[in-house]
Amino acid sequence: MSGTITKVSGPLVVAEGLADANVSDVVRVGSQRLIGEILNMTGDRASIQVYEETSGLGPGATVETTGMPMSVELGPGMLDNIYDGIQRPLPEMRALSGDSITRGANVPALNREKKWDFVPVAKPGDKVAAGDVLGTVQETSAILHKIMVPRGVSGEVLSVESGEHVVTDIVAVVRDGKGVEHKLSMMQRWPVRIARPYTRKYVPSRPMNSGQRIIDTMFPIAKGGTAAVPGPFGSGKTVVQHQLAKWSDVDIVIYIGCGERGNEMTDVLMEFPELKDPRNGEPLMKRTVLIANTSDMPVAAREASIYTGITIAEYFRDMGYDVAVLADSTSRWAEALREMSGRLEEMPGEEGYPAYLASRLAQFYERAGVVECLGSDDRQGSVTAIGAVSPPGGDISEPVSQATMRIVKVFWALDSSLAYARHFPAINWLTSYSLYIDTLRSWYTEQFGETYMLNREKAMHILQEESELQEIVRLVGQDALSPADRLTMETAKMIREDFLQQNAFVDEDAYSSYPKQFRLLDLILHFDSLCRDALGKGADMNGLFAISAREKIGRAKMADAQSFQADYDAIDALMKKEIEEVTAGGEDE
Amino acid sequence: MIKEYKTIREIASPLMVVEHVEGVTYDELGEIELPNGELRRCKVLEVEGDRAVVQLFESAQGINLAESRVRFLGHPQELAVSEDMLGRVFNGMGQPIDGGPAILADAHMDINGLPMNPAARAYPAEFIQTGVSTIDGLNTLVRGQKLPIFSGSGLPHAALAAQIARQARVLGDNETFAVVFAAIGITFEESEYFINDFRRTGAIDRTVVFSNLANDPAVERIATPRMALTAAEYLAFEKDMQVLVILTDITNYAEALREVSAAKKEVPGRRGYPGYLYTDLATMYERAGRRQGKKGSITMIPILTMPEDDKTHPIPDLTGYITEGQIILSRELHRKGIVPPVDVLPSLSRLKDKGIGAGKTREDHSGTMNQLFAAYSRGKDAKELMTILGEAALSEDDKLFAKFAEEFEKRYVSQGNNTNRSIQETLDIGWELLSILPQRELKRIKPEFIEKYMPKK
């Protein structure tokens, strides 16, 4: 089925003679066979979004439909790999066409020559349905890839092949109720704009451990939850995203660089193979899939990139894994949407964005969640979606931020004034929120006792009070405050500097375990309560603030991950002793 | 066989509609021949059936609908490149204007370039010493980085950019260096300032100048930075040179883009700039970088003037989202007589962390850098408080921080445009300033470095 181009305007191409094509079909455009997708049809005229630069294309060139919607290839070989927005492997593109991305390159997403050791799980004679595991492949040292029965296939297993196979080899044959034999390989296709099915969805109830104190203790996110990280440029969005990609206790990370800097993707590419997962010691790259559609790459493929990413995430979820999808940045995706909408001459909504912006965003985030996967073994998997938002000028009253905030449950608001003072992560503790606190409370209590959440509330309260006291200080000066209020200010400063600040570039501090977070905050709050008692007994305020244990608390976050308990015990004892001394000194006078 | 058309239907500068065309493709370059034989250039923006919408690069003056002829050349706009471009001056369309001969082309390159494969990039990690403390010490520039200067009307950004171009070098390195300078809609005087500075230091022989001045056609500016970057790519990746690209002023470029967008009646984004401004800027800025297996590099310093000194204006805002940091100039510091008036707190270099430390600059660099930022930020707050409530309202510590902030601006930031400080000098000045503060406040520096580097009183 082919048609003829009548109009070219940037990435938008109009072709006629495509009456039999379907909306959303992938098409090949012109002699270079550029990849495109049909957006609209009017009679036999199709409006096509082309995923590659259209320079040199003109009326009269042919357009061929493939008859299939925009799909990804799912199977072994995706981990430890880097794709562009339409799932073309970038290292192989480089081998084919050099340092630049040339047009019309046609490289399969999954390597067709690489052999995988397929270990069957199903036996001939087994009854299987969609989602059941046929066998496994040890894809990387960290991840066991489960080969599942694709949707629409169920019946009796006739044969299974074990041993070395390429992804397209037939590894199993299943005969369905009508007697049709389905030959199954390790690879399946899935249209990216359709969510993959599951048996049922649950409310998220376990936290995702990120090793970041302000996230885990103050504004936790649940596995299967959704979060947004908005912030102006320079406030550290990308570092937060990288930290999450590195340290989250999920099985798989899908990192989507959507319209962002090329060097940032290179950074991930070079750094992740070197970094070890703190839980199993495997290189982080072995659990990571990168989707890189940098800002200079074609804008239409940027629009597709987040769907490519989340579809791959859902596929791993279906194996029963916990997956995190990090999209940096959804604002660039929205801009791609706006650009295509403008070229289609659609009626614009707010700030030129199309009216369907909010519903498209909601559709993306709603693909996150904890689910019981298809298949008979009741396995559970989750997809956690975290999107960076880049509001113009840092002003979150703009449409993308607002539409995102209506959907996500966790909001980590980055603040440029914190970033200027080099308070990182620059997540503002007053404007951020997590709506998972209540559902996760029981998990924290079960693991670490009630004190964990009580401490959190105490700390949040102190920070809240500090901001009110700061108003007073700004008007009348610090001397007007009572000693108790001065203590609140001091404790708040300690919480900010000694607990919330975390240096992503220092090995000892980049990842902080739950027990370490808990002890550190407890130490600071203990200082607060001891001092409050001492002040009640008439102790000298300045003496209390000058004790040497405070400097030790200031450096406590650098304590070794293995032996910190002993260090913290020592600081705690020293602090008690010094405060007692100051109190005794006060009473003597 | 190139066809000629005499079917211009409409001209609304900078756009023109040509009808009954055949075989014309998107983005193709065209030539318009005026009745008097003069040639003007244009490119195809949209083609629908036999109707092509083209954008003129030069003024529409004198084009006559009945008599002018249009030819389409079958390829996008190209630049003839060769090593002989060094030391030459070109106009915004890449034609020599220094009276010298035409360039004997080694190759013709599409000025739009191709996106670089992220898997082919090499991460920028080589420290460039600019001799400017606020950059070297706090916002370190590395090879292959794009670090813009955000300035305002009347601020001395040209002096700073010229100082960087003059002093920048990679420690212990003798590779060939080249400067590509693109004047985009700036005045003759500003352009001469740069060229004279290059001439004074002898750098002119290693410099390629593309000049589109304020009185040259605005639409031509859309091509100028791309011409410059194409030349830079050729020198860096074909000829193994270390290229520094200075683009000034991006604000003029964005305004030219807005002009064309408005003429095309596109739906405007913020402040009338087209919705694709981000993508358009990115396709330029992202051409900076290093490639695996190639010796050369492109380091880019775009300069832009922020309208009303507003950092949230779309041009600085979108630039900041693409570039790897920014150097911001402050009017307040400029009024105080601080030279260069770099506002360090909102300035940033995203790539500094891989370019500093033991073996590159010095082991104490990272810690002192963070400490200086944090201390200056606190000192500025203290000074603000002091102006409201008087010095008496400050705690003892805050008084010291206020003093630190004062000294920091005077000694660290204000170094003048002719001082070339080595990284060691910069770090040592930092330590001297930190010695003003109580040691227990220096939480961001490892105790062993305090022991080793803190000047003994």
Side-chain angles (χ1 to χ4, degrees):
Chain A
M1 183 72 214
S2 69
T4 315
I5 294 181
T6 58
K7 175 182 172 178
V8 184
S9 166
L12 178 79
V13 166
V14 178
E16 55 187 20
L18 286 167
D20 291 343
N22 310 309
V23 171
S24 299
D25 272 2
V26 169
V27 293
R28 292 300 198 140
V29 180
S31 56
Q32 285 179 303
R33 301 185 57 75
L34 309 180
I35 300 167
E37 184 180 358
I38 298 181
L39 295 177
N40 295 333
M41 305 272 313
T42 321
D44 69 343
R45 282 163 63 88
S47 300
I48 297 160
Q49 134 167 309
V50 181
Y51 291 120
E52 299 178 81
E53 173 61 49
T54 50
S55 170
L57 216 54
T62 56
V63 173
E64 254 178 70
T65 162
T66 59
M68 279 195 311
M70 180 70 198
S71 304
V72 286
E73 292 182 358
L74 301 166
M78 291 189 291
L79 293 169
D80 198 2
N81 209 339
I82 174 167
Y83 291 112
D84 76 351
I86 46 175
Q87 215 203 3
R88 291 183 299 185
L90 289 171
E92 279 156 50
M93 295 257 290
R94 184 177 175 220
L96 191 79
S97 61
D99 291 345
S100 302
I101 293 179
T102 48
R103 297 187 291 160
N106 193 6
V107 188
L110 298 179
N111 190 323
R112 295 289 195 270
E113 276 138 42
K114 178 154 183 175
K115 292 205 163 182
W116 301 95
D117 191 13
F118 178 77
V119 181
V121 171
K123 300 180 300 293
D126 285 358
K127 298 269 185 232
V128 293
D132 281 341
V133 178
L134 286 170
T136 60
V137 166
Q138 190 68 45
E139 184 176 350
T140 67
S141 46
I143 298 296
L144 187 71
H145 192 115
K146 296 170 186 164
I147 308 295
M148 296 168 289
V149 178
R151 190 171 75 153
V153 177
S154 68
E156 188 188 340
V157 178
L158 293 182
S159 65
V160 218
E161 307 284 330
S162 67
E164 300 268 308
H165 293 283
V166 298
V167 285
T168 46
D169 284 352
I170 305 300
V171 291
V173 178
V174 172
R175 186 169 59 202
D176 65 17
K178 294 178 190 141
V180 181
E181 289 184 9
H182 297 271
K183 295 188 166 110
L184 303 178
S185 70
M186 286 189 270
M187 182 182 95
Q188 44 176 295
R189 283 177 195 279
W190 191 266
V192 294
R193 296 183 200 277
I194 298 172
R196 283 176 63 84
Y198 47 82
T199 308
R200 56 174 299 196
K201 210 167 194 171
Y202 298 99
V203 175
S205 62
R206 291 167 301 144
M208 186 179 87
N209 175 213
S210 66
Q212 310 304 304
R213 289 186 289 268
I214 185 149
I215 293 177
D216 289 351
T217 299
M218 296 299 189
F219 308 107
I221 178 172
K223 278 191 182 132
T226 51
V229 199
F233 64 84
S235 57
K237 271 185 306 296
T238 302
V239 179
V240 169
Q241 292 271 30
H242 281 197
Q243 287 299 92
L244 290 167
K246 284 175 192 167
W247 309 122
S248 294
D249 68 334
V250 290
D251 303 301
I252 310 272
V253 171
I254 316 286
Y255 191 98
I256 311 168
C258 174
E260 287 288 312
R261 304 176 182 89
N263 279 328
E264 275 167 7
M265 295 316 293
T266 314
D267 187 23
V268 175
L269 268 180
M270 316 240 290
E271 194 179 21
F272 276 33
E274 310 284 319
L275 289 170
K276 299 271 189 286
D277 188 332
R279 279 157 289 264
N280 57 17
E282 294 290 343
L284 285 173
M285 201 61 204
K286 300 281 178 207
R287 64 166 201 180
T288 308
V289 183
L290 295 175
I291 314 276
N293 212 94
T294 55
S295 53
D296 55 337
M297 284 156 78
V299 61
R302 191 195 298 167
E303 193 267 330
S305 65
I306 72 165
Y307 296 105
T308 301
I310 200 140
T311 308
I312 296 175
E314 286 175 332
Y315 174 69
F316 281 108
R317 172 204 71 190
D318 292 345
M319 294 179 205
Y321 288 123
D322 290 321
V323 187
V325 176
L326 302 162
D328 186 11
S329 142
T330 54
S331 295
R332 304 300 161 227
W333 168 80
E335 278 167 13
L337 213 59
R338 172 168 71 184
E339 190 173 333
M340 288 316 297
S341 166
R343 301 218 187 243
L344 287 168
E345 292 166 12
E346 292 173 342
M347 182 70 83
E350 246 181 300
E351 287 194 20
Y353 286 105
Y356 46 78
L357 170 70
S359 61
R360 291 279 171 89
L361 265 172
Q363 277 163 9
F364 167 73
Y365 281 107
E366 202 52 23
R367 287 171 78 169
V370 183
V371 305
E372 186 181 312
C373 312
L374 289 183
S376 49
D377 59 354
D378 295 342
R379 58 184 187 272
Q380 277 196 14
S382 71
V383 172
T384 311
I386 299 167
V389 184
S390 317
D395 172 13
I396 56 167
S397 65
E398 56 91 40
V400 183
S401 303
Q402 287 300 314
T404 307
M405 282 169 76
R406 290 211 301 273
I407 310 157
V408 299
K409 297 280 188 293
V410 182
F411 190 70
W412 296 312
L414 294 172
D415 188 330
S416 55
S417 62
L418 289 175
Y420 295 167
R422 292 332 188 234
H423 174 115
F424 287 116
I427 297 175
N428 185 310
W429 48 90
L430 297 173
T431 50
S432 301
Y433 59 79
S434 165
L435 300 181
Y436 292 116
I437 293 284
D438 290 327
T439 45
L440 295 178
R441 185 183 303 272
S442 59
W443 185 91
Y444 280 95
T445 307
E446 224 167 80
Q447 301 283 322
F448 311 106
E450 269 194 337
T451 331
Y452 202 105
M453 278 290 148
L454 290 178
N455 274 354
R456 174 193 181 268
E457 273 142 37
K458 232 185 261 173
M460 286 300 287
H461 184 72
I462 289 171
L463 290 170
Q464 189 69 50
E465 252 185 280
E466 184 201 26
S467 78
E468 288 160 22
L469 291 172
Q470 266 168 349
E471 295 287 311
I472 300 174
V473 171
R474 230 168 265 142
L475 290 174
V476 292
Q478 208 159 24
D479 292 338
L481 296 182
S482 69
D485 285 344
R486 287 287 298 278
L487 176 61
T488 305
M489 300 272 296
E490 284 296 311
T491 311
K493 182 171 164 241
M494 287 166 76
I495 296 175
R496 283 189 283 113
E497 293 182 1
D498 304 340
F499 183 74
L500 296 182
Q501 281 185 15
Q502 190 167 356
N503 192 335
F505 301 101
V506 173
D507 294 345
E508 296 86 358
D509 200 25
Y511 175 83
S512 191
S513 65
Y514 280 120
K516 195 173 162 187
Q517 300 189 17
F518 171 64
R519 280 300 307 270
L520 187 56
L521 185 58
D522 203 48
L523 210 54
I524 295 167
L525 293 174
H526 198 202
F527 170 83
D528 184 74
S529 63
L530 287 175
C531 286
R532 228 164 266 279
D533 282 352
L535 285 175
K537 290 181 192 153
D540 170 43
M541 180 183 74
N542 290 324
L544 289 173
F545 293 171
I547 61 170
S548 74
R550 278 191 66 195
E551 197 188 330
K552 293 215 157 57
I553 296 178
R555 298 189 187 281
K557 56 179 142 185
M558 299 296 183
D560 185 76
Q562 308 301 323
S563 61
F564 71 91
Q565 295 276 13
D567 294 346
Y568 287 9
D569 286 341
I571 297 173
D572 202 35
L574 175 71
M575 175 168 81
K576 245 188 208 156
K577 186 169 138 275
E578 285 184 323
I579 290 176
E580 273 164 22
E581 281 168 13
V582 175
T583 317
E587 280 165 355
D588 288 347
E589 278 160 24
Chain B
M1 172 58 199
I2 291 176
K3 279 189 186 162
E4 271 190 357
Y5 300 97
K6 281 178 76 179
T7 47
I8 302 176
R9 268 301 154 267
E10 189 182 321
I11 296 182
S13 182
L15 299 188
M16 185 171 88
V17 177
V18 189
E19 287 186 338
H20 307 302
V21 296
E22 244 174 72
V24 172
T25 64
Y26 174 68
D27 209 28
E28 192 174 335
L29 186 67
E31 264 178 0
I32 306 153
E33 193 183 327
L34 268 52
N36 63 7
E38 193 188 329
L39 284 179
R40 303 248 174 102
R41 288 201 269 180
C42 61
K43 79 168 182 181
V44 179
L45 287 183
E46 187 181 303
V47 37
E48 181 165 16
D50 63 353
R51 187 170 171 272
V53 179
V54 302
Q55 174 199 325
L56 299 168
F57 281 116
E58 287 144 275
S59 93
Q61 204 173 24
I63 299 181
N64 170 312
L65 294 194
E67 295 301 320
S68 306
R69 297 153 194 274
V70 182
R71 284 188 290 272
F72 293 96
L73 305 178
H75 59 78
Q77 204 171 5
E78 288 176 336
L79 177 70
V81 289
S82 134
E83 226 169 318
D84 299 334
M85 296 177 91
L86 288 167
R88 300 289 304 273
V89 182
F90 302 87
N91 70 6
M93 296 297 287
Q95 290 142 344
I97 50 169
D98 53 1
I103 294 292
L104 280 176
D106 188 37
H108 290 270
M109 291 168 77
D110 179 352
I111 64 157
N112 293 309
L114 286 167
M116 214 191 288
N117 187 331
R121 280 182 188 268
Y123 197 73
E126 288 166 291
F127 169 68
I128 297 180
Q129 181 178 298
T130 63
V132 179
S133 290
T134 43
I135 297 177
D136 292 353
L138 301 176
N139 298 294
T140 316
L141 179 69
V142 294
R143 233 179 217 179
Q145 184 171 13
K146 39 195 177 293
L147 189 65
I149 297 175
F150 286 10
S151 181
S153 318
L155 292 181
H157 45 262
L160 179 61
Q163 186 178 11
I164 296 171
R166 194 165 62 228
Q167 299 179 350
R169 67 192 185 93
V170 171
L171 296 178
D173 188 281
N174 288 318
E175 280 158 335
T176 39
F177 189 76
V179 176
V180 174
F181 176 76
I184 307 163
I186 59 173
T187 59
F188 169 76
E189 283 172 42
E190 201 171 350
S191 164
E192 274 308 284
Y193 174 84
F194 277 99
I195 292 170
N196 281 334
D197 200 79
F198 295 147
R199 207 168 273 142
R200 185 165 65 84
T201 55
I204 192 78
D205 295 338
R206 318 276 328 144
T207 303
V208 188
V209 177
F210 289 88
S211 177
N212 168 282
L213 297 183
N215 58 347
D216 290 329
V219 275
E220 193 181 300
R221 272 165 220 163
I222 295 175
T224 309
R226 296 195 159 78
M227 294 280 171
L229 286 161
T230 305
E233 275 174 358
Y234 171 77
L235 295 174
F237 303 125
E238 305 289 330
K239 297 289 163 197
D240 291 339
M241 289 184 197
Q242 310 302 332
V243 184
L244 179 71
V245 180
I246 298 176
L247 306 173
T248 179
D249 181 323
I250 296 295
T251 306
N252 297 335
Y253 169 82
E255 271 166 10
L257 205 62
R258 176 166 70 178
E259 195 179 320
V260 175
S261 168
K264 278 153 79 180
K265 301 190 174 65
E266 289 172 336
V267 178
R270 281 176 77 212
R271 300 224 184 176
Y273 291 96
Y276 50 79
L277 181 61
Y278 175 86
T279 306
D280 189 275
L281 289 175
T283 54
M284 293 190 331
Y285 294 145
E286 282 289 333
R287 289 169 80 171
R290 291 169 62 224
R291 297 181 185 179
Q292 287 172 31
K294 296 268 161 99
K295 278 196 198 134
S297 66
I298 299 179
T299 309
M300 194 191 291
I301 302 189
I303 297 172
L304 56 91
T305 46
M306 298 181 279
E308 296 167 39
D309 292 354
D310 177 12
K311 193 156 68 83
T312 66
H313 184 280
I315 301 168
D317 189 56
L318 296 178
T319 298
Y321 276 121
I322 307 162
T323 54
E324 286 133 354
Q326 65 278 340
I327 302 293
I328 298 190
L329 300 188
S330 149
R331 202 167 290 279
E332 191 196 329
L333 292 178
H334 179 57
R335 279 199 207 110
K336 276 192 196 169
I338 303 236
V339 183
V342 176
D343 193 357
V344 299
L345 294 181
S347 296
L348 170 74
S349 163
R350 290 165 192 275
L351 302 181
K352 61 182 183 301
D353 297 290
K354 300 269 160 67
I356 62 175
K360 293 192 165 154
T361 54
R362 211 165 74 184
E363 55 188 356
D364 57 322
H365 193 152
S366 168
T368 48
M369 174 179 75
N370 286 323
Q371 193 68 62
L372 285 169
F373 271 124
Y376 181 53
S377 163
R378 189 167 160 193
K380 271 186 86 166
D381 285 349
K383 272 173 71 181
E384 215 171 281
L385 207 61
M386 200 156 80
T387 46
I388 304 172
L389 299 166
E391 203 177 336
L394 295 186
S395 68
E396 285 309 311
D397 277 5
D398 279 345
K399 277 180 203 156
L400 291 175
F401 275 101
K403 183 177 168 220
F404 169 87
E406 192 70 26
E407 290 290 308
F408 176 81
E409 286 174 9
K410 264 192 224 144
R411 292 172 55 194
Y412 198 92
V413 182
S414 191
Q415 66 175 83
N417 282 129
N418 294 310
T419 313
N420 188 357
R421 284 186 189 154
S422 75
I423 181 67
Q424 273 72 23
E425 286 173 69
T426 293
L427 290 171
D428 291 343
I429 295 171
W431 278 106
E432 278 170 38
L433 291 167
L434 289 174
S435 71
I436 296 172
L437 303 173
Q439 203 154 317
R440 74 190 131 76
E441 289 288 347
L442 306 182
K443 287 182 201 167
R444 294 170 189 247
I445 309 177
K446 288 187 182 168
E448 60 258 39
F449 292 153
I450 296 185
E451 189 56 38
K452 190 169 169 190
Y453 293 104
M454 181 65 85
K456 306 282 182 282
K457 283 178 191 167

